[in-house]
Amino acid sequence: MSRTGTKLDAKKVNSELFTLTYGALVAQLIKDYENVEDVNKQLERMGYNIGIRLIEDFLARTGSGRCYDFRDTAEKIQSGFKIFLGITPSITNWSPAGDEFSLCFETNPLTEFVELPDNCSNLKYCNILTGVLRGACEMVQMEIACWFVQDQLKNDNVTELRVKFIKRLEDAIPAGED
Amino acid sequence: MVIYGVYIVSKSGGLIFNHDHNVPKIEVEKSFNFPLDIKLNYENKKVVVVFGQRDGINVGHVLTAVNGIAVTGRELEDGRDALEMLEQPENFPITLKFGRAKMTTNEKIFLASMFYPLFAIASQLSPEPRSSGIEVLEADTFRLYCFQTLTGIKFMIVAEPSQPGMEILLKRVYDLYADYALKNPFYALEMPIRCELFETNLQTLLETVEKSGISNV
């Protein structure tokens, strides 16, 4: 989703095109790897590489500051979904320690026309998202873990993405930032 | 209203992009009689004016040509030594061209990595905790504006002291970086930015700002 000129006006992209492109990617990976676990891993890795770049776009667009609380982070991740995918997942299921939360997707543009065949029951179709979140957070010196606990493609009511804070990457914090 | 240049320094302190925008070219050519009334010296592989400033030839300027023949180091293109030539009366009258020394890419890389620790020191020297590093560095002929992103990349602009709105411009440059460098699949993070689209868009942005001010971008 690039922009015209230097205005912060996102060029709208048809979400169906995006959905189908992602579908083509996953289908190709399944062909290439044959093993569903490997596909999950590859998706995560690709997502990571996207995330470490996408974070700059997010920061440049929103001008948001550093998070000093994981609740800030949750809200910023939520707004990131709004910017890049046009959806607003709800933030739920906070752990008592406040270091773990869930993002619940009622709708998900990635899975719009998708149903999983029987031989892919272990496939985490949207696993690219976990990589994106991990990569993006790592660039702002936060180590997180991220995984799917519910998936609409597997007949759950909602798609639930669990995000867990692991640690701050103190060494990586740039000088003059903390 | 002049912007002199834009620099981007990576997280690890290396110069990954520089763009000389509008550096005024200073060159003076003049013919001289024997003996030469300007004191020249050979330093840092250049023939430099050390004393006797006049007619637009300033101390610190570098000898760039003798009788129209370019000088590199202390040698003319045809192999003669420039300083030896100037000691021999039979070579006079002689035409000498002086100009401001251009920074080489190596010098730019060196200076950019020098700024990196200065920035860090500034934040440590600060009497207040959690201070940022250097955001503006001011001198009588220029101002250097620096913006560090949360991911640690530094964007710098060197501009005339009177040029307003540079902080906003830095954010615009960050936008361009996020769009045209990072979304380029052939650009590897932390590596020098060689993306034509980034360069042309940056050029356009700088020209717009110089012509019609920051409010139009």
Side-chain angles (χ1 to χ4, degrees):
Chain A
M1 294 189 214
S2 83
R3 286 166 239 165
T4 46
T6 54
K7 292 278 189 292
L8 276 171
D9 172 32
K11 204 190 269 173
K12 298 285 183 225
V13 174
N14 188 329
S15 79
E16 290 183 6
L17 175 65
F18 173 66
T19 307
L20 296 176
T21 312
Y22 183 68
L25 172 75
V26 178
Q28 185 64 46
L29 284 175
I30 290 171
K31 255 186 218 152
D32 288 354
Y33 286 95
E34 289 164 2
N35 179 352
V36 171
E37 284 307 318
D38 287 346
V39 175
N40 291 342
K41 241 180 254 166
Q42 276 303 317
L43 283 173
E44 207 271 353
R45 207 176 64 96
M46 287 175 168
Y48 174 81
N49 287 323
I50 293 173
I52 57 178
R53 290 169 182 245
L54 200 61
I55 183 69
E56 305 286 3
D57 194 25
F58 175 78
L59 294 174
R61 276 189 205 210
T62 58
S64 36
R66 184 170 296 285
C67 299
Y68 292 102
D69 182 54
F70 206 44
R71 281 164 208 277
D72 287 349
T73 313
E75 274 164 31
K76 283 187 177 144
I77 290 174
Q78 190 186 38
S79 76
F81 275 103
K82 177 85 197 128
I83 292 172
F84 294 115
L85 290 180
I87 48 174
T88 313
S90 51
I91 303 169
T92 53
N93 296 341
W94 277 100
S95 68
D99 64 346
E100 229 180 295
F101 66 90
S102 289
L103 290 164
C104 287
F105 302 81
E106 301 281 335
T107 55
N108 181 350
L110 289 178
T111 58
E112 194 76 5
F113 312 106
V114 179
E115 42 189 297
L116 288 185
D118 296 336
N119 59 343
C120 289
S121 55
N122 286 329
L123 177 69
K124 293 167 188 158
Y125 186 81
C126 300
N127 214 30
I128 201 158
L129 295 181
T130 61
V132 171
L133 290 187
R134 185 170 69 89
C137 288
E138 186 180 301
M139 291 303 276
V140 285
Q141 301 89 37
M142 237 186 305
E143 191 177 329
I144 62 156
C146 189
W147 64 95
F148 282 100
V149 286
Q150 292 191 76
D151 193 339
Q152 278 165 322
L153 292 177
K154 291 167 187 163
N155 296 324
D156 293 317
N157 278 333
V158 288
T159 299
E160 182 181 346
L161 184 57
R162 194 85 180 139
V163 184
K164 180 180 169 57
F165 175 84
I166 296 176
K167 64 172 187 228
R168 287 254 279 166
L169 301 164
E170 299 290 344
D171 307 338
I173 295 176
E177 271 295 335
D178 213 54
Chain B
M1 301 287 266
V2 182
I3 298 165
Y4 296 125
V6 177
Y7 301 82
I8 304 178
V9 174
S10 77
K11 193 162 52 174
S12 44
L15 183 68
I16 55 170
F17 179 81
N18 82 279
H19 172 82
D20 291 327
H21 183 59
N22 208 342
V23 185
K25 205 172 177 184
I26 295 176
E27 266 187 351
V28 185
E29 195 157 19
K30 196 174 175 298
S31 95
F32 291 89
N33 289 315
F34 193 80
L36 199 63
D37 52 356
I38 288 183
K39 178 90 185 100
L40 297 176
N41 235 350
Y42 182 65
E43 5 178 282
N44 292 331
K45 297 184 180 159
K46 287 170 204 138
V47 180
V48 184
V49 180
V50 289
F51 204 67
Q53 174 166 307
R54 60 191 187 77
D55 303 331
I57 301 167
N58 292 351
V59 169
H61 281 179
V62 169
L63 181 65
T64 56
V66 176
N67 288 334
I69 306 169
V71 177
T72 35
R74 57 188 290 167
E75 271 192 359
L76 268 67
E77 257 174 1
D78 52 18
R80 283 178 294 173
D81 186 296
L83 285 180
E84 273 171 27
M85 249 183 106
L86 295 173
E87 277 162 16
Q88 292 154 0
E90 66 269 24
N91 290 326
F92 284 78
I94 199 167
T95 314
L96 301 178
K97 193 184 208 174
F98 294 92
R100 195 175 46 191
K102 264 207 194 123
M103 248 199 283
T104 64
T105 310
N106 264 341
E107 285 169 325
K108 282 176 190 159
I109 293 173
F110 175 72
L111 290 177
S113 50
M114 286 280 275
F115 185 76
Y116 184 81
L118 287 181
F119 185 93
I121 290 170
S123 77
Q124 284 178 16
L125 272 181
S126 155
E128 290 287 329
R130 300 229 315 234
S131 164
S132 78
I134 296 170
E135 286 179 346
V136 185
L137 191 144
E138 190 168 346
D140 59 349
T141 54
F142 74 94
R143 258 188 219 165
L144 185 147
Y145 297 82
C146 176
F147 165 62
Q148 177 168 264
T149 69
L150 292 184
T151 53
I153 301 163
K154 289 184 190 67
F155 290 84
M156 286 183 263
I157 290 178
V158 179
E160 242 184 9
S162 58
Q163 181 86 30
M166 290 298 104
E167 286 88 355
I168 303 165
L169 180 61
L170 280 169
K171 304 232 158 59
R172 289 285 163 274
V173 178
Y174 186 27
D175 282 346
L176 293 182
Y177 169 77
D179 269 352
Y180 294 103
L182 291 183
K183 284 176 192 165
N184 181 343
F186 300 107
Y187 171 67
L189 287 185
E190 294 272 302
M191 295 306 277
I193 301 171
R194 298 191 204 292
C195 306
E196 213 171 292
L197 280 175
F198 176 70
E199 198 128 343
T200 45
N201 279 285
L202 178 70
Q203 181 85 32
T204 320
L205 173 67
L206 295 180
E207 274 161 19
T208 323
V209 170
E210 279 188 332
K211 273 198 212 104
S212 46
I214 194 74
S215 51
N216 289 307
V217 295

